[in-house]
Amino acid sequence: MDLKKLNDNIYIADQITTDDIDQLALLGIKTIINNRPDQEEKKQTLSKVIEKYACNLGISYHYLPISPGEFPKSKITDFKTLIMIKQHPIAVFCRTGNRSVTLWALSQKEQYGTEYVINQARSEERFSRNAETDI
């Protein structure tokens, strides 16, 4: 797992496994949000497996899949709501972390402004310049 701290409340990661959840628990992560659709790759750990393991450790889990390059307004709103109401810190992941950091930026640009969210997202090494056009 490649985990990066985006701000005091949000961490961004690439695909996680059940082994990674132990590490997240040690870091004090209270909530995990999965932005990766199941079955993108054959050997990918499925959402229900991650959810069961996380819940057994007392970590809240939410499955909010985002297909590559698609950020529907409903998913942005759902994500914004989750990060507002769920316990922090929160780990958000997808295959590489790019979709998750882009989703975070899209959900926060009204509150913080486009320049701020792009600068924060750029600090996340997986954020691509192409993703800036989505914001």
Side-chain angles (χ1 to χ4, degrees):
M1 168 183 64
D2 183 16
L3 184 69
K4 304 281 187 191
K5 186 175 184 176
L6 187 61
N7 61 37
D8 288 339
N9 296 321
I10 305 289
Y11 289 80
I12 303 292
D14 57 351
Q15 175 68 51
I16 65 172
T17 66
T18 53
D19 291 338
D20 297 322
I21 298 171
D22 290 321
Q23 183 181 351
L24 293 174
L26 288 174
L27 290 171
I29 296 297
K30 303 293 185 203
T31 302
I32 295 172
I33 301 174
N34 177 358
N35 295 140
R36 188 168 190 200
D38 280 342
Q39 305 296 332
E40 276 192 329
E41 292 178 353
K42 288 183 180 183
K43 295 185 180 185
Q44 166 187 345
T45 305
L46 296 177
S47 178
K48 65 183 178 183
V49 172
I50 295 170
E51 178 178 26
K52 182 177 181 180
Y53 199 89
C55 289
N56 285 338
L57 293 176
I59 299 172
S60 176
Y61 178 86
H62 302 277
Y63 182 56
L64 185 64
I66 301 290
S67 296
E70 296 179 19
F71 297 93
K73 187 168 180 70
S74 62
K75 297 277 180 136
I76 295 167
T77 300
D78 290 347
F79 182 79
K80 184 176 182 178
T81 300
L82 282 173
I83 64 172
M84 284 178 17
I85 67 171
K86 294 300 171 183
Q87 279 190 299
H88 296 147
I90 298 171
V92 187
F93 77 93
C94 60
R95 185 179 65 83
T96 64
N98 189 42
R99 276 176 274 180
S100 294
V101 75
T102 301
L103 183 60
W104 171 84
L106 289 167
S107 75
Q108 300 301 297
K109 73 177 183 176
E110 274 184 32
Q111 182 173 353
Y112 295 108
T114 302
E115 184 177 341
Y116 172 80
V117 297
I118 287 176
N119 286 336
Q120 284 296 105
R122 279 186 187 154
S123 71
E124 170 56 46
E125 296 169 1
R126 290 175 287 255
F127 184 70
S128 70
R129 293 233 178 251
N130 292 343
E132 288 182 31
T133 59
D134 291 324
I135 300 169

